[in-house]
Amino acid sequence: MFNQRTRIKDLLAGDKANYETTVMGWVRSFRNNQFIALNDGSTNANIQVVVALGMLDEATQKRITTGACIKAVGEIIPSLGKGQKIELKATEILILGDCDTEKYPLQLKNRPSLEYLREIAHLRFRTNTFGAVFRVRHALAYAIHKFFNDKGFVYLHTPIITASDAEGAGEMFKVTAFPLDGTAPRNEDGSINFKEDFFGRSTNLTVSGQLEGELAAMAYSDIYTFGPTFRAENSNTTRHLAEFWMIEPEVAFNDLEDNMNLAEEFIKYVIRHAMEQNKEDLEFLAQRLEEEEKQKPQNERSEMGLMEKLDFVVNNDFERLTYTEAITILKESNHNKKKKFQYLIEGWGVDLQSEHERYLVEKHFKKPVILTDYPKEIKAFYMRQNDDGKTVAAMDILAPGIGEIVGGSQREERLDKLLERMEEMHIPADELWWYLDTRKFGACPHAGFGLGFERLVQFVTGMGNIRDVIPFPRYPKSAEF
Amino acid sequence: MFNQRTRIKDLLAGDKANYETTVMGWVRSFRNNQFIALNDGSTNANIQVVVALGMLDEATQKRITTGACIKAVGEIIPSLGKGQKIELKATEILILGDCDTEKYPLQLKNRPSLEYLREIAHLRFRTNTFGAVFRVRHALAYAIHKFFNDKGFVYLHTPIITASDAEGAGEMFKVTAFPLDGTAPRNEDGSINFKEDFFGRSTNLTVSGQLEGELAAMAYSDIYTFGPTFRAENSNTTRHLAEFWMIEPEVAFNDLEDNMNLAEEFIKYVIRHAMEQNKEDLEFLAQRLEEEEKQKPQNERSEMGLMEKLDFVVNNDFERLTYTEAITILKESNHNKKKKFQYLIEGWGVDLQSEHERYLVEKHFKKPVILTDYPKEIKAFYMRQNDDGKTVAAMDILAPGIGEIVGGSQREERLDKLLERMEEMHIPADELWWYLDTRKFGACPHAGFGLGFERLVQFVTGMGNIRDVIPFPRYPKSAEF
């Protein structure tokens, strides 16, 4: 057994002193050949390791550089220095791994840009920013599982490779064991003979686990998914990834209102969990954001700091209104009248653009908004048709700074209505025979939603680019690491 | 709000009576036009809903068929009948969804085979067997997150789409946005021009998140992954899937012994969690297995029942021995001498077959076994080389009835040794520049392992076929749903 260390987070949380312990981690700095700031990734805070003058030979001393990995044994004592309550008075220092300062890209002197850190995503975990971001990401992921587990939901792993391309949520990546060079087996008519491919049919990467989730909700009542989903869309934006994680709860017996209640409770729960468990990380990120905001022109700065924003979200009801009400607000807004929108709102029926969503959330209501009952033409085939014949029981949750963070609906459980809508939208019913079966055998009102995990992490960490909240982002022309 | 029901599991767990409540679920049976056995998937146990004679008109009564979805309002009263403490005396019954008995494949009379249920995987969730299996799967997944969270690990989402194919853990599926018909853009030499594909390079579905996990462990010290992994191997067995979920912890400062301790503690923890949280489901599955075993010839039956086996695993130390010791035991076994192995053990260096692993676990030690220090020739390039020059610090955990359930190792942290081994095994160093960087910048001893989640679920549920422990299995010629 080599690993008998105390985690630095646990050390600093304790208020004891005068005991022996061992720490291991990476050197952040080494001051005056005496004070090592050591970090082990459990927190952004470092433990100060004090090396008595003359304790180390010169060769060893020189190896204690930024990035080097060391083991330090010694006594925890109250610290006289500023910024820490305790420190480790070393009796033994062991160099576990050297770090060549000439080549190591993470030096304290230069402050690397987020863009540059994306190119060295294998090392960016070692910075304070990404240390905090990915610990918060963990806290949110854990809170998601805890929230649903405590409510008796079943976590369902829906398939990643799918033969279905019927949902139409976006462009799909193809998955194949065939060569791509044109030598794949052909049918007589020249088309590819997928019967000879691995799965005996053409397959893609999933865009959503919802349809499969509905199948399980018709047995367990309450299920959720949490897995990767994919879009082969050429979107080079700060809000899109080709590979991202999605949470999709699906609940039998829920109507649209139940669905909104669940989504709002859920979002507040996971944010509150992160605020409790990762207070220091969030305070660090709030500080980082504040500095970033200072670089912006006054009128582009956020009105609230990160902590204020999170506090506000967990402590206030989300505003709920219909699409139709939102259109009226937008149409009559000074923003629209003064033609400040790129896409002017002229009438009912149009899809909302990001600028409209942000106006509602950031300017008009100044809080998260749940829009409901969208025109059926701009929503998916499986959403439940309202009695007005024009709208569906959809809901989108819009968050400040992010826009759409949740999209959901009550599902169409009436077989005849569902088939009618599928035909209108050219969704092939025979491919979805299994989905339609649930409407034949004990159907019930049910509802669900999808939450893009990275958008949630962006919202909570205040990071502006979605590529900075997933460890190794996938986007057009980028699949490094 | 429509969903104001009480979950049947919570109802049955309570010992109160004489109060009003609402339940919703699916009819399992309707006896004597009076007694509805209603299930909502929260447990295999049904609530008995008692309908007073004459309360329902004949038309409604006829719609209460197996598989139909209903809402029942009434009073919880102590039950006089056998098999339940309480029942619901209905004052109101609402049919939410009919179920055509002529077409519904899940009738009580016939007992569908597991093979047939695989063909209707969208409905098998509604059977007692799969109800139990997937609730246990959930419990294990949750326990995994809880175990690591409570120890301060960071949950890391490693990429699914990867440009790396260097690990060699198995055949990979290709991912592309190109057409497969030979019209993909070409280079001058006739090869496919992947620069024009979505990611600007050739990409595959990941076989493991380990290499990326190591990157993060060099920052957070303790990380784990839990995500889907893929193999494009044409393995039509009861132990292989083309798409499966894997858990891969990676821990800085852990040596092989620390690694074994973590894996053993982890396995015991998650099994214990399932035994506590899903006692009734496991008892049901134990019963199912016992009946299945009765169909087998005496000499093929397991010596222990499912509950006994799980009890035994959580309460006993795993046997730890080296590969070399295992070879000696196998070579000198009567089994080997009497040529009962298909592959006879003749000397040191051969890879162990499933029959050898099962002999060690089921016949010789009769408990889980951790084998360590395998010949380097049969293990991956990243495993730490032992001083003997012949073996590596690998460990495999072998479980009764399953065989290998965990594979892990201490990693080679010494750059020169790693490069040497990569060259010997023709692993391209330039493609793994980022992996090698961690050996240049503050390397340290570290170790990790991978656990195939479905094998764990098989082990805990006693299901013989891995296709029956994942909701929608992917295997050669099969990607339905």
Side-chain angles (χ1 to χ4, degrees):
Chain A
M1 289 214 315
F2 178 77
N3 194 353
Q4 288 179 300
R5 69 191 181 97
T6 310
R7 294 167 72 237
I8 292 171
K9 186 178 181 182
D10 299 336
L11 267 186
L12 297 177
D15 47 9
K16 280 195 302 175
N18 306 313
Y19 62 98
E20 280 266 318
T21 196
T22 300
V23 292
M24 305 189 202
W26 292 268
V27 174
R28 285 286 170 91
S29 67
F30 186 26
R31 205 158 40 85
N32 299 341
N33 283 338
Q34 258 190 301
F35 304 107
I36 303 171
L38 195 69
N39 188 282
D40 67 2
S42 60
T43 163
N44 271 347
N46 304 317
I47 181 89
Q48 174 155 287
V49 177
V50 184
V51 184
L53 288 170
M55 181 185 139
L56 299 176
D57 59 63
E58 206 178 328
T60 306
Q61 205 165 276
K62 278 193 176 153
R63 293 171 65 193
I64 303 177
T65 59
T66 297
C69 189
I70 68 166
K71 169 184 176 178
V73 185
E75 195 185 1
I76 293 293
I77 55 169
S79 177
L80 300 175
K82 267 190 202 163
Q84 67 257 342
K85 275 193 248 167
I86 54 163
E87 60 191 25
L88 183 94
K89 191 178 156 199
T91 52
E92 186 195 334
I93 299 273
L94 182 68
I95 311 281
L96 300 176
D98 293 285
C99 187
D100 184 341
T101 30
E102 299 290 307
K103 292 179 184 153
Y104 191 53
L106 297 173
Q107 297 298 334
L108 275 190
K109 306 150 209 168
N110 34 359
R111 188 143 187 200
S113 69
L114 294 176
E115 288 71 23
Y116 173 64
L117 288 172
R118 230 168 277 149
E119 289 170 28
I120 51 164
H122 62 310
L123 298 175
R124 67 177 176 172
F125 300 121
R126 304 179 185 193
T127 64
N128 281 337
T129 297
F130 289 97
V133 164
F134 291 115
R135 278 190 301 270
V136 171
R137 185 179 165 111
H138 163 82
L140 291 168
Y142 185 70
I144 288 163
H145 287 296
K146 185 160 165 51
F147 176 82
F148 288 119
N149 179 74
D150 292 354
K151 283 187 176 293
F153 281 57
V154 169
Y155 177 30
L156 190 80
H157 288 114
T158 50
I160 311 302
I161 298 174
T162 169
S164 149
D165 60 356
E167 206 214 325
E171 289 294 306
M172 299 177 100
F173 287 105
K174 299 180 192 75
V175 175
T176 183
F178 276 160
L180 304 180
D181 59 3
T183 62
R186 306 274 182 149
N187 296 311
E188 279 181 19
D189 66 359
S191 60
I192 301 289
N193 182 3
F194 284 108
K195 286 214 172 71
E196 292 194 24
D197 202 352
F198 188 93
F199 293 109
R201 56 206 297 179
S202 152
T203 49
N204 302 299
L205 288 179
T206 186
V207 294
S208 160
Q210 179 204 313
L211 301 191
E212 289 90 352
E214 285 187 54
L215 308 178
M218 295 301 104
Y220 304 105
S221 301
D222 307 286
I223 68 96
Y224 72 107
T225 74
F226 188 172
T229 50
F230 305 85
R231 298 282 186 281
E233 272 144 29
N234 203 356
S235 298
N236 248 314
T237 80
T238 57
R239 295 164 18 100
H240 293 90
L241 290 166
E243 172 181 312
F244 58 99
W245 286 67
M246 193 141 72
I247 297 100
E248 298 183 283
E250 192 70 38
V251 183
F253 318 117
N254 266 11
D255 64 13
L256 188 64
E257 191 187 355
D258 295 312
N259 202 32
M260 286 191 276
N261 292 345
L262 180 69
E264 183 168 341
E265 183 190 350
F266 167 67
I267 289 174
K268 288 176 174 173
Y269 177 92
V270 299
I271 293 177
R272 199 173 282 127
H273 176 93
M275 292 173 78
E276 285 163 9
Q277 299 295 316
N278 291 64
K279 188 165 175 287
E280 286 164 25
D281 287 325
L282 289 174
E283 279 165 356
F284 174 86
L285 291 166
Q287 184 69 30
R288 191 206 69 84
L289 185 62
E290 197 179 316
E291 282 164 34
E292 193 181 81
E293 292 266 315
K294 280 184 193 153
Q295 313 301 316
K296 292 183 184 171
Q298 189 82 46
N299 64 343
E300 286 178 25
R301 291 183 202 165
S302 303
E303 289 177 23
M304 284 189 203
L306 182 63
M307 300 307 283
E308 276 177 288
K309 183 185 76 174
L310 297 178
D311 263 331
F312 187 82
V313 167
V314 298
N315 292 319
N316 284 279
D317 290 342
F318 294 6
E319 189 71 34
R320 300 180 185 192
L321 69 160
T322 64
Y323 164 91
T324 305
E325 290 163 343
I327 286 290
T328 305
I329 290 170
L330 289 166
K331 199 173 162 189
E332 291 174 1
S333 68
N334 279 328
H335 224 72
N336 200 51
K337 288 176 184 159
K338 290 186 181 161
K339 307 202 175 184
K340 282 191 188 167
F341 287 130
Q342 200 190 335
Y343 296 89
L344 295 179
I345 296 288
E346 285 166 3
W348 195 91
V350 294
D351 206 354
L352 298 184
Q353 302 294 322
S354 180
E355 58 177 343
H356 308 130
E357 295 175 349
R358 295 190 64 165
Y359 177 85
L360 289 170
V361 169
E362 291 162 31
K363 304 283 177 197
H364 190 85
F365 291 111
K366 295 178 192 275
K367 57 161 131 169
V369 167
I370 314 185
L371 288 188
T372 63
D373 304 294
Y374 283 77
K376 65 179 179 181
E377 282 72 20
I378 59 173
K379 287 290 180 185
F381 73 90
Y382 49 71
M383 297 193 176
R384 194 176 197 278
Q385 294 167 62
N386 288 328
D387 292 341
D388 62 13
K390 295 192 320 193
T391 59
V392 286
M395 62 153 206
D396 280 2
I397 302 187
L398 314 176
I402 304 284
E404 186 194 321
I405 194 166
V406 161
S409 75
Q410 189 172 338
R411 315 307 187 187
E412 184 57 82
E413 85 280 13
R414 297 162 297 185
L415 183 62
D416 53 339
K417 298 258 182 196
L418 181 60
L419 283 170
E420 191 184 297
R421 197 76 194 113
M422 285 171 75
E423 201 175 319
E424 281 168 16
M425 296 177 77
H426 309 293
I427 309 284
D430 54 338
E431 278 186 29
L432 292 180
W433 64 272
W434 41 270
Y435 186 68
L436 293 170
D437 263 9
T438 55
R439 273 63 176 174
K440 294 175 187 165
F441 304 129
C444 67
H446 63 288
F449 61 85
L451 174 129
F453 185 52
E454 282 74 18
R455 294 219 177 143
L456 174 70
V457 183
Q458 264 194 288
F459 182 73
V460 176
T461 59
M463 297 299 286
N465 193 322
I466 200 163
R467 296 171 187 177
D468 292 334
V469 297
I470 190 167
F472 302 100
R474 288 343 189 195
Y475 49 91
K477 306 300 170 205
S478 185
E480 189 65 89
F481 312 105
Chain B
M1 290 215 310
F2 178 77
N3 195 353
Q4 288 178 301
R5 69 188 181 99
T6 309
R7 292 167 73 236
I8 291 170
K9 187 179 180 181
D10 299 336
L11 268 187
L12 297 178
D15 47 9
K16 280 195 305 177
N18 306 314
Y19 63 98
E20 279 267 319
T21 195
T22 300
V23 291
M24 303 190 203
W26 292 268
V27 175
R28 286 286 170 92
S29 67
F30 186 26
R31 206 160 37 85
N32 298 343
N33 283 338
Q34 262 191 96
F35 304 107
I36 304 171
L38 195 71
N39 188 282
D40 68 2
S42 60
T43 162
N44 271 348
N46 305 316
I47 181 89
Q48 173 156 288
V49 177
V50 184
V51 185
L53 287 170
M55 182 188 141
L56 299 176
D57 60 62
E58 205 177 332
T60 306
Q61 204 163 279
K62 277 192 176 156
R63 293 170 66 194
I64 304 177
T65 59
T66 298
C69 190
I70 69 166
K71 169 183 174 178
V73 185
E75 195 185 0
I76 293 293
I77 55 168
S79 177
L80 300 175
K82 266 189 204 163
Q84 67 259 339
K85 276 194 248 168
I86 54 163
E87 60 191 26
L88 184 95
K89 191 179 152 196
T91 52
E92 187 195 332
I93 299 274
L94 183 67
I95 310 282
L96 300 175
D98 294 284
C99 187
D100 185 339
T101 29
E102 298 291 307
K103 292 180 184 151
Y104 192 52
L106 296 174
Q107 297 299 333
L108 275 190
K109 305 151 210 166
N110 33 358
R111 189 143 187 200
S113 69
L114 295 176
E115 289 71 26
Y116 174 64
L117 289 171
R118 230 169 277 148
E119 290 171 28
I120 53 166
H122 62 311
L123 298 176
R124 66 177 177 171
F125 299 121
R126 304 179 185 192
T127 64
N128 280 337
T129 296
F130 289 97
V133 164
F134 292 115
R135 279 190 302 268
V136 170
R137 186 181 165 110
H138 163 81
L140 290 168
Y142 185 69
I144 288 164
H145 287 296
K146 184 159 168 49
F147 176 82
F148 288 118
N149 179 74
D150 291 354
K151 283 187 177 292
F153 281 56
V154 170
Y155 177 30
L156 190 80
H157 288 115
T158 49
I160 312 300
I161 298 173
T162 170
S164 148
D165 60 357
E167 205 215 326
E171 289 294 307
M172 300 178 99
F173 287 104
K174 299 180 192 74
V175 175
T176 184
F178 275 160
L180 304 181
D181 58 3
T183 61
R186 305 272 181 151
N187 296 310
E188 279 180 20
D189 65 1
S191 61
I192 302 289
N193 182 3
F194 284 109
K195 285 212 172 73
E196 293 194 25
D197 202 354
F198 189 93
F199 293 109
R201 57 204 297 180
S202 152
T203 49
N204 302 300
L205 288 180
T206 185
V207 293
S208 161
Q210 178 202 314
L211 301 190
E212 289 90 352
E214 284 186 54
L215 308 177
M218 295 300 102
Y220 304 106
S221 300
D222 307 286
I223 68 97
Y224 72 106
T225 74
F226 187 172
T229 50
F230 305 85
R231 298 282 186 284
E233 271 144 30
N234 203 355
S235 299
N236 249 313
T237 80
T238 58
R239 292 162 23 97
H240 293 89
L241 290 166
E243 173 181 311
F244 57 99
W245 287 67
M246 195 141 71
I247 297 100
E248 297 183 285
E250 192 70 37
V251 183
F253 317 118
N254 266 10
D255 64 12
L256 189 64
E257 191 187 352
D258 294 313
N259 203 30
M260 286 191 277
N261 292 345
L262 179 69
E264 184 169 339
E265 184 190 349
F266 167 66
I267 289 174
K268 289 176 173 172
Y269 177 93
V270 299
I271 294 178
R272 199 173 282 126
H273 176 93
M275 291 173 79
E276 284 163 9
Q277 299 295 317
N278 292 62
K279 189 165 174 284
E280 286 165 24
D281 286 326
L282 289 174
E283 280 167 353
F284 174 85
L285 291 166
Q287 183 71 29
R288 191 206 69 82
L289 185 62
E290 199 180 315
E291 282 164 33
E292 194 181 80
E293 291 266 315
K294 280 185 193 153
Q295 312 300 315
K296 292 183 184 170
Q298 189 80 46
N299 64 341
E300 285 179 24
R301 292 183 200 165
S302 303
E303 287 177 24
M304 283 188 202
L306 183 63
M307 301 306 285
E308 276 177 287
K309 184 186 75 175
L310 298 177
D311 263 330
F312 187 82
V313 167
V314 299
N315 292 320
N316 284 280
D317 290 343
F318 293 5
E319 190 70 33
R320 299 179 185 194
L321 69 161
T322 65
Y323 164 90
T324 305
E325 290 163 341
I327 286 289
T328 306
I329 290 171
L330 288 167
K331 201 175 158 189
E332 291 174 1
S333 68
N334 278 329
H335 224 71
N336 200 50
K337 288 177 184 162
K338 291 187 182 159
K339 310 201 170 183
K340 283 192 187 164
F341 288 129
Q342 201 190 333
Y343 297 89
L344 293 180
I345 297 288
E346 284 165 5
W348 194 92
V350 294
D351 206 353
L352 297 184
Q353 302 296 320
S354 180
E355 59 177 343
H356 306 131
E357 295 175 348
R358 294 190 65 166
Y359 177 86
L360 288 169
V361 169
E362 291 163 30
K363 305 282 178 196
H364 191 85
F365 290 112
K366 295 179 192 277
K367 57 160 128 170
V369 167
I370 313 184
L371 287 190
T372 62
D373 304 292
Y374 283 77
K376 65 179 178 181
E377 282 73 20
I378 58 172
K379 288 289 180 185
F381 72 91
Y382 49 71
M383 297 194 178
R384 194 176 198 277
Q385 293 165 62
N386 288 328
D387 292 340
D388 61 12
K390 295 190 323 190
T391 60
V392 287
M395 62 154 206
D396 280 2
I397 302 187
L398 314 176
I402 304 285
E404 187 195 320
I405 193 166
V406 160
S409 76
Q410 189 172 340
R411 316 306 188 186
E412 184 56 83
E413 86 280 14
R414 297 161 297 184
L415 183 62
D416 53 340
K417 298 260 180 195
L418 181 60
L419 284 170
E420 193 184 296
R421 197 77 195 113
M422 285 171 75
E423 203 176 318
E424 282 167 14
M425 296 177 76
H426 310 292
I427 310 284
D430 54 336
E431 278 186 29
L432 292 180
W433 63 272
W434 42 269
Y435 186 67
L436 294 169
D437 262 10
T438 54
R439 272 63 177 175
K440 295 175 186 164
F441 304 131
C444 67
H446 62 289
F449 61 86
L451 175 130
F453 185 51
E454 282 74 18
R455 293 217 181 146
L456 175 69
V457 183
Q458 265 193 288
F459 181 73
V460 176
T461 59
M463 298 299 285
N465 194 322
I466 201 164
R467 296 172 186 177
D468 293 333
V469 298
I470 189 167
F472 302 99
R474 285 352 189 184
Y475 49 91
K477 305 302 170 201
S478 185
E480 190 66 87
F481 310 106

